[in-house]
Amino acid sequence: MGGPAIRLLIGAISLAAFATSAVAAEPVDIAIGYLGRATVPQTLSPVDQPAADDGVAGARLAIEDNNTTGKFLNQRFTLLDRRVKDEEDPAQAANDLATKASFILANLPAEALLKVADALRARSVTLLNVGATDDRLREQDCRANVIHVAPTRSMLADGLAQYLVWKQWKRWLLVTGSHDNDKLFADALRRAATRFGAKIVEERTFEDTGGARRTDSGVTLIQRQMPVFTQRAPSYDVLVAADESEVFASYLPYRTWDPRPVAGSAGLKPTSWDPAQDQWGATQLQNRFVKLASRRMNALDMQAWTAVRMIGEAASRTNSGDAKALSDFIKGPNFSIAAFKGTRLTLRDWNLQLRQPILLADGRMIVSVSPQEGFLHQFSELDTLGVDRPETKCKLQ
Amino acid sequence: MSANKFVATCISTSLAGALWLAPTAPVSAFVAYISNEKGNTVSVIDTDSWTVTKTIKVGQRPRGIEFTRDGKFVMVAVGDDDTIQLIDTKTQEVTDTLPSGPDPELFTQDAAGKTLYVANENDNTVTVIDLQKRARIGDVQVGVEPEGMTVSPDGKFLICTSETTNMAHFIDTGTRQIVANVLVDARPRFAEFKQDGSELWVSAEIGGTVSIIDPAKREVTGKIKFAIPGLRSEAIQPVGISITKDGKTGFVALGPANRVAVVDATSHEVKKYLLVGQRVWHLAFTPDEKYLMVTNGVSNDVSVIDVAAQKVIKTIQVGELPWGITIAQP
């Protein structure tokens, strides 16, 4: 009786040994897609103009980092970069990518992202939103197959508001652009003002009347327009601008009628990352990035880096390349990721949003990092930023 | 195990023997060198009077700091100058540099003091330096952002932790090949052996734990976890580790939790949290193990802990953003 059982056991052991050596010879391949727009938006300042590899360069660096770790675990990561033109169907492009990759980073506007998420619903593909800051994607329009690495507008606005309130700059003049995204950011800023005890003393709208963002004699005209535009405001401490469309905000600093600082879309900006960030070991990350991309790392690059590292982290913790095992681990209670922001980042389980500190940068330096001291929370201080569990409208499905 | 302990005792005795030749120092007085990351200085503290006796100007961003085994020099890694500087302990001035490779942060040396191993965070490399020739003699490719470095008490293995790969790499010091990779929690920053070689402790700053590794099996056998009432768990970020020579008590610096944990090194249970200054980084015992000194990065001071009483007895102001510390006989 014992004989065959032992033989069977020996057989099983040698089979296991064989399986291990076979795995050792052939690394586990983990392909990650990057789906972004082909067009690059225009910015007011040429310094801010995104490079052609904006975002995807961060993903590439994380692939390199994952592969450095992967060589110890016999895992190999690859990146498939796909850009969609405005007239193209993003869902079709996503479906193409999904035949080769189980994880897709998406840098798409909200509507396109939802279209892609719904098109991929039948497949076991996880989307990682690295670009869209729309709160609705994490609230009423949340999807179970989308993990959000980019912060929301409300997280950004709350991060800024906490600092302005700490600074005792509680009276805000809010200037909003005329495009939809500008209005959404203004909504987040109004919500933040109410939450943290700031007062919006007056609101103004800056109409986009068209025209080129850069002209040869632009400064002369702007210098006359901006003081007039900000004239006759009630007493205020700080001008807060909501201009995601890059129409006017960068014209405001040093040109307001009253000598006041500017924050929001210009001046002191809330962001997930900045080329100047070098705290908490970020110097090494920035150095690696400069080597790879010949420029410093911005927020979109960092969001893409973090997304790819999240997949790499799941692969090394589970010692697996199985898409479901990885996505279950990322969504599970033991997941956290180190991302050079002084604290571990975790996922909000109610809407799959990555918790993260918000940096406040002036274009040259990091001025502060929120949450600010004293803004407490019963669970995580990072949940003082953005829409919290009791307020959420998300029902994941 | 007992043989290892015997070797360790021999080394410390012979080191002390060599230093007895130094003139007229009170028996209990030691000298501590503290690197000030922002100040670009090294503060020298006399442990008899607990005062700063000298502030030495060094290169940019000094962090890792250690005495050479013969006590003649203090080595300090000045990362932004891509070198390790040598401070002559007689003159207390920088007299030479070592070819450390780019951006050195932490380093370690073998028991004989002949070979120095340096973590180069920028290019995922450990640089090997011959200390006598002061020349680079090799390198080892490791994971992303190597940082914590230590040599096993038997001298056979170099341990290097890589902060983004989240592993402790076991490197054979003879062949300079990686022989094992042990996955630990996020952002491992420091590695320390018990002197009998029975355990390797690795702190994970972002993971918030210390992994206990069995060096023979090269497996994580347990984890030290920390919980401080009223403090959010993200603020608990273990960094520096010191374990008493008898292997009974461990001290773990908890970064922005502003505390040093006192750990029963046998049961791996935290016995006590000692409140120190802000963002506590690294720690070092006086050679007689009566005192433990810890650097507080944000409050610009050093706390002195009475080891037997497990109490903070003193705080000493040093330079801007103190980071590393090393102590020996003067």
Side-chain angles (χ1 to χ4, degrees):
Chain A
M1 285 294 273
I6 287 168
R7 268 202 298 279
L8 202 67
L9 194 65
I10 291 167
I13 289 167
S14 61
L15 194 70
F18 174 75
T20 314
S21 63
V23 169
E26 203 50 53
V28 173
D29 273 303
I30 299 165
I32 299 169
Y34 185 96
L35 188 60
R37 291 173 73 182
T39 48
V40 174
Q42 280 263 306
T43 58
L44 281 179
S45 166
V47 173
D48 297 333
Q49 191 58 46
D53 63 356
D54 191 37
V56 77
R60 281 192 195 121
L61 180 64
I63 291 278
E64 279 187 12
D65 287 351
N66 283 356
N67 280 332
T68 303
T69 303
K71 71 176 190 244
F72 303 119
L73 295 169
N74 212 28
Q75 295 171 339
R76 189 168 54 197
F77 295 81
T78 48
L79 188 73
L80 308 163
D81 184 8
R82 176 83 159 81
R83 306 304 174 87
V84 283
K85 298 192 184 88
D86 287 342
E87 64 276 14
E88 255 186 292
D89 177 12
Q92 183 55 49
N95 270 317
D96 292 347
L97 266 182
T99 59
K100 301 176 204 106
S102 303
F103 291 91
I104 299 175
L105 274 58
N107 175 29
L108 297 169
E111 212 41 60
L113 184 76
L114 283 178
K115 212 174 158 189
V116 166
D118 293 338
L120 295 179
R121 192 176 283 253
R123 297 172 182 268
S124 58
V125 170
T126 305
L127 279 170
L128 293 106
N129 167 25
V130 299
T133 54
D134 304 73
D135 282 89
R136 71 175 172 109
L137 295 174
R138 290 80 163 170
E139 299 305 323
Q140 62 272 30
D141 293 332
C142 70
R143 297 288 187 273
N145 60 346
V146 186
I147 292 167
H148 303 277
V149 182
T152 59
R153 288 192 180 92
S154 62
M155 290 162 75
L156 295 165
D158 288 352
L160 176 64
Q162 285 187 4
Y163 178 78
L164 296 181
V165 167
W166 177 85
K167 196 74 193 65
Q168 300 291 338
W169 292 344
K170 293 183 180 175
R171 295 172 304 166
W172 301 359
L173 174 63
L174 178 63
V175 182
T176 306
S178 54
H179 295 276
D180 288 345
N181 283 353
D182 308 335
K183 290 174 187 163
L184 288 169
F185 189 33
D187 289 344
L189 289 163
R190 276 185 216 102
R191 175 182 173 276
T194 311
R195 283 185 98 195
F196 299 114
K199 188 176 185 317
I200 293 168
V201 295
E202 191 179 306
E203 290 201 26
R204 293 182 182 186
T205 302
F206 194 102
E207 288 294 337
D208 183 5
T209 51
R213 282 191 172 77
R214 278 167 222 139
T215 54
D216 220 36
S217 51
V219 168
T220 342
L221 192 63
I222 294 158
Q223 187 169 333
R224 285 178 197 152
Q225 283 173 340
M226 292 302 141
V228 175
F229 178 76
T230 51
Q231 206 180 349
R232 287 193 201 94
S235 301
Y236 69 99
D237 301 313
V238 56
L239 188 154
V240 181
D243 174 35
E244 291 189 1
S245 312
E246 291 275 333
V247 172
F248 67 94
S250 295
Y251 293 149
L252 287 167
Y254 309 106
R255 295 190 179 106
T256 50
W257 182 267
D258 302 298
R260 293 290 178 271
V262 175
S265 299
L268 188 67
K269 294 184 190 179
T271 179
S272 74
W273 194 254
D274 188 85
Q277 160 66 349
D278 66 351
Q279 301 168 88
W280 301 298
T283 305
Q284 280 74 39
L285 179 71
Q286 293 276 12
N287 288 344
R288 289 203 298 283
F289 189 84
V290 169
K291 217 183 214 174
L292 178 104
S294 303
R295 58 186 179 82
R296 292 180 72 85
M297 199 174 193
N298 65 32
L300 188 60
D301 298 318
M302 187 54 179
Q303 284 151 205
W305 182 90
T306 307
V308 172
R309 274 293 302 128
M310 286 165 74
I311 300 162
E313 181 71 9
S316 60
R317 294 291 165 202
T318 57
N319 199 13
S320 165
D322 176 64
K324 186 166 182 325
L326 300 190
S327 100
D328 284 352
F329 181 81
I330 294 172
K331 293 173 184 171
N334 296 322
F335 174 79
S336 74
I337 186 85
F340 306 94
K341 292 168 93 170
T343 183
R344 60 175 171 266
L345 311 186
T346 52
L347 274 193
R348 290 175 178 156
D349 58 6
W350 66 88
N351 65 359
L352 306 181
Q353 167 67 48
L354 189 70
R355 290 185 182 91
Q356 56 195 297
I358 296 297
L359 311 183
L360 302 172
D362 72 351
R364 307 282 307 165
M365 300 295 281
I366 305 300
V367 175
S368 188
V369 181
S370 287
Q372 296 296 316
E373 211 179 335
F375 290 88
L376 304 177
H377 191 278
Q378 57 176 346
F379 180 65
S380 165
E381 276 159 38
L382 294 175
D383 283 346
T384 63
L385 304 173
V387 179
D388 199 0
R389 185 194 300 270
E391 316 160 279
T392 190
K393 292 179 200 138
C394 173
K395 289 187 181 72
L396 283 176
Q397 50 190 325
Chain B
M1 257 196 262
S2 59
N4 280 339
K5 195 180 270 177
F6 177 71
V7 171
T9 317
C10 273
I11 289 164
S12 59
T13 315
S14 64
L15 188 70
L19 290 162
W20 279 335
L21 300 175
T24 64
V27 184
S28 64
F30 305 105
V31 60
Y33 284 69
I34 290 105
S35 59
N36 301 306
E37 183 188 1
K38 172 120 179 121
N40 291 345
T41 55
V42 165
S43 303
V44 185
I45 291 177
D46 170 70
T47 70
D48 201 32
S49 62
W50 297 120
T51 53
V52 176
T53 54
K54 182 153 181 178
T55 302
I56 305 164
K57 274 190 187 159
V58 294
Q60 297 183 71
R61 204 169 186 197
R63 284 187 283 175
I65 189 163
E66 209 174 292
F67 272 90
T68 53
R69 297 280 184 218
D70 61 10
K72 286 181 181 162
F73 296 96
V74 166
M75 302 175 276
V76 57
V78 283
D80 285 1
D81 284 342
D82 298 326
T83 190
I84 291 177
Q85 289 179 320
L86 293 173
I87 299 169
D88 186 320
T89 51
K90 277 206 191 85
T91 59
Q92 298 190 332
E93 274 167 16
V94 174
T95 55
D96 204 354
T97 59
L98 294 172
S100 66
D103 196 21
E105 183 167 337
L106 274 172
F107 52 83
T108 190
Q109 54 188 319
D110 62 0
K114 283 185 179 157
T115 311
L116 189 73
Y117 301 96
V118 188
N120 302 119
E121 275 196 284
N122 262 345
D123 51 4
N124 308 339
T125 304
V126 169
T127 299
V128 188
I129 295 171
D130 182 318
L131 267 175
Q132 274 151 352
K133 293 180 187 148
R134 297 186 184 174
R136 177 179 174 150
I137 51 172
D139 53 50
V140 185
Q141 286 299 309
V142 291
V144 184
E145 293 162 35
E147 165 126 354
M149 304 278 287
T150 192
V151 176
S152 62
D154 63 9
K156 286 184 182 161
F157 298 101
L158 167 72
I159 308 299
C160 166
T161 67
S162 43
E163 289 177 329
T164 293
T165 289
N166 301 329
M167 285 177 181
H169 307 286
F170 281 64
I171 299 160
D172 185 315
T173 49
T175 63
R176 290 182 201 145
Q177 297 291 316
I178 293 179
V179 292
N181 302 289
V182 180
L183 198 62
V184 293
D185 287 339
R187 211 166 159 78
R189 292 207 66 147
F190 197 79
E192 181 85 346
F193 275 96
K194 279 194 180 174
Q195 286 214 356
D196 65 2
S198 63
E199 286 179 6
L200 170 68
W201 292 19
V202 175
S203 62
E205 186 182 29
I206 293 294
T209 59
V210 170
S211 291
I212 310 293
I213 295 170
D214 179 334
K217 291 186 194 152
R218 294 164 191 164
E219 278 173 15
V220 175
T221 54
K223 272 180 194 173
I224 304 172
K225 292 183 176 166
F226 308 90
I228 301 167
L231 206 69
R232 65 197 169 92
S233 70
E234 291 108 318
I236 298 173
Q237 301 185 355
V239 200
I241 301 169
S242 286
I243 307 172
T244 53
K245 286 190 201 104
D246 62 12
K248 284 185 179 157
T249 312
F251 293 86
V252 182
L254 297 179
N258 307 337
R259 281 161 179 85
V260 169
V262 185
V263 181
D264 179 324
T266 314
S267 67
H268 302 130
E269 275 168 32
V270 180
K271 293 292 167 198
K272 206 171 176 181
Y273 294 99
L274 304 174
L275 191 63
V276 290
Q278 290 174 39
R279 198 170 185 192
V280 50
W281 277 113
H282 288 286
L283 6 77
F285 288 115
T286 51
D288 59 8
E289 277 191 3
K290 275 191 184 163
Y291 302 103
L292 179 72
M293 294 175 73
V294 306
T295 55
N296 304 315
V298 175
S299 48
N300 299 337
D301 50 25
V302 166
S303 301
V304 182
I305 294 166
D306 181 319
V307 173
Q310 299 188 352
K311 274 192 179 131
V312 178
I313 56 157
K314 201 127 197 133
T315 302
I316 305 156
Q317 196 77 26
V318 288
E320 269 185 290
L321 306 196
W323 198 90
I325 179 161
T326 184
I327 309 179
Q329 304 259 354

